[in-house]
């Protein structure tokens, strides 16, 4: 499970017209916790770094498409 | 200053899951003759209008914010539980790309609100006639919105808002008469 995802439960009224989305989510990427990037962080192998978009696993933030309604988040 | 009451001016109940209506309701949220434009127009014009009608612009401008809040509630209720796919099916794909399901001040066609929609001429008659026209245009918009839904509960709230436009236009027309009034007065020295 992606530990960069935060979730919260919006107010749900019994009179809401549509079937509810009970839990909403947002992403907090790792740069939010890094004031200055430390020197000599571990690095991805080059091919993997290209795919990830960053040289450093510490900055990597995956994002998967939002699940369709009814499927698990 | 304002005092906020944490309740709507008139109840908003949305009974039909019809995301499409959210796109149309945006016309009254961030459209040229929507509630935001009305509130900002009146509350800005009031500084340079004769004293006798300042209070009217304050009161009506304030009520427009109460209406804005009702429209926001309708749009929020219709979009908050919609998936990206459902929003796209309702014509709100471009909105999702820019705003997720957040509300934004744009009209039904997605054009963002601009201050160019409103005017303050400093001339009391020019300003009041603009206000009357804005109320009548908003009334018409509410009629077309009522035509676009068969949700009777949503229609009920929209009918209330439409009626308020009629009352506001009447009050503005009375303000015009107050501005004109001196002409009829006999001046006795």
């Amino acid at each position: 499970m992606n530990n960069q995802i935060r979730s919260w439960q919006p107010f749900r009224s019994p009179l809401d017209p549509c079937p509810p989305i009970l839990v909403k989510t947002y992403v907090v990427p790792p740069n939010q916790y890094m004031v200055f990037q430390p020197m000599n962080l571990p690095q991805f192998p080059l091919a993997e770094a290209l795919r990830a978009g960053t040289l450093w696993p510490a900055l990597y933030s995956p994002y998967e498409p939002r699940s369709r309604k009814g499927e698990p988040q | 200053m304002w005092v906020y009451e944490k309740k709507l001016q008139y109840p908003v109940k949305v009974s039909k899951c019809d995301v499409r209506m959210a796109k149309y309701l945006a016309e009254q949220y961030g459209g040229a003759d929507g509630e935001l434009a009305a509130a900002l127009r009146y509350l800005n014009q009031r500084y340079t209008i004769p004293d006798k009608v300042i209070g009217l612009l304050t009161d009506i401008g304030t009520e427009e914010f109460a209406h804005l809040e009702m429209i926001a509630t309708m749009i929020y209720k219709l979009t908050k539980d919609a998936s990206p796919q459902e929003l796209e099916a309702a014509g709100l794909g471009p909105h999702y790309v820019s705003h997720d399901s957040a509300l934004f001040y744009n009209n039904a066609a997605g054009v963002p609100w601009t201050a160019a929609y409103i005017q303050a001429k400093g001339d009391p008659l020019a300003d009041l006639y603009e206000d009357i026209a804005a109320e009548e245009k908003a009334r018409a918009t509410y009629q077309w919105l009522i035509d676009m839904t068969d949700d009777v509960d949503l229609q009920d709230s929209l009918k209330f808002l439409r009626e308020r436009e009629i009352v506001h236009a009447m009050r503005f027309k009375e303000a015009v008469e107050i501005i004109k009034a001196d002409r009829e007065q006999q001046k006795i020295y």
Side-chain angles (χ1 to χ4, degrees):
Chain A
M1 192 59 198
N2 182 348
N3 65 2
Q4 296 174 18
I5 292 178
R6 305 287 179 274
S7 63
W8 61 290
Q9 292 172 290
F11 171 73
R12 161 100 182 110
S13 161
L15 298 176
D16 281 345
C18 301
I21 297 174
L22 296 172
V23 177
K24 300 248 179 185
T25 59
Y26 58 97
V27 177
V28 181
N31 59 351
Q32 294 297 316
Y33 299 104
M34 205 180 287
V35 181
F36 270 94
Q37 183 173 341
M39 298 285 282
N40 306 315
L41 284 175
Q43 296 183 359
F44 282 125
L46 282 184
E48 207 177 324
L50 179 60
R51 187 188 293 267
T54 175
L55 200 48
W56 302 280
L59 276 179
Y60 179 58
S61 176
Y63 187 85
E64 291 304 317
R66 281 201 183 165
S67 56
R68 289 162 187 269
K69 202 146 88 175
E71 295 175 6
Q73 296 269 334
Chain B
M1 69 171 283
W2 276 264
V3 177
Y4 185 72
E5 261 189 76
K6 195 174 155 57
K7 62 182 182 185
L8 296 177
Q9 187 193 10
Y10 183 88
V12 166
K13 189 177 177 194
V14 183
S15 298
K16 186 184 176 190
C17 185
D18 179 12
V19 183
R20 185 192 53 104
M21 254 334 261
K23 180 176 164 71
Y24 301 145
L25 286 164
E27 189 65 28
Q28 285 294 25
Y29 194 63
D33 302 300
E35 302 293 353
L36 179 73
L40 297 181
R41 180 189 291 115
Y42 306 152
L43 292 176
N44 178 65
Q45 286 176 352
R46 67 191 167 136
Y47 291 95
T48 46
I49 206 117
D51 292 6
K52 278 184 175 176
V53 297
I54 290 176
L56 179 71
L57 285 173
T58 305
D59 289 352
I60 296 182
T62 301
E63 188 178 340
E64 302 296 358
F65 275 131
H67 296 171
L68 187 71
E69 204 176 31
M70 289 176 62
I71 296 291
T73 303
M74 294 174 193
I75 296 172
Y76 174 68
K77 276 175 167 280
L78 286 166
T79 52
K80 78 186 191 75
D81 294 316
S83 67
Q85 291 74 26
E86 287 167 330
L87 289 170
E88 187 177 33
L92 287 168
H95 182 96
Y96 180 78
V97 167
S98 191
H99 308 290
D100 190 352
S101 51
L103 280 76
F104 192 68
Y105 294 117
N106 50 226
N107 69 10
V111 180
W113 190 89
T114 163
Y117 287 155
I118 65 176
Q119 187 51 279
K121 270 294 153 190
D123 178 89
L125 288 174
D127 282 353
L128 285 170
Y129 277 119
E130 181 194 341
D131 300 347
I132 294 165
E135 295 290 340
E136 299 292 6
K137 285 186 280 183
R139 171 185 58 80
T141 306
Y142 277 120
Q143 289 169 190
W144 315 151
L145 280 171
I146 291 166
D147 293 343
M148 290 298 276
T149 181
D150 58 0
D151 177 347
V152 290
D153 292 312
L154 184 60
Q155 282 177 349
D156 182 62
S157 303
L158 292 172
K159 285 173 182 174
F160 169 85
L161 292 168
R162 174 184 170 274
E163 184 61 42
R164 296 309 299 160
E165 307 293 342
I166 293 169
V167 174
H168 290 172
M170 187 66 228
R171 295 289 93 86
F172 282 133
K173 282 158 64 179
E174 290 165 356
V176 168
E177 295 306 312
I178 291 170
I179 295 292
K180 295 193 309 195
D182 273 347
R183 285 177 64 87
E184 290 167 22
Q185 240 161 38
Q186 292 191 350
K187 295 218 167 69
I188 298 159
Y189 298 101

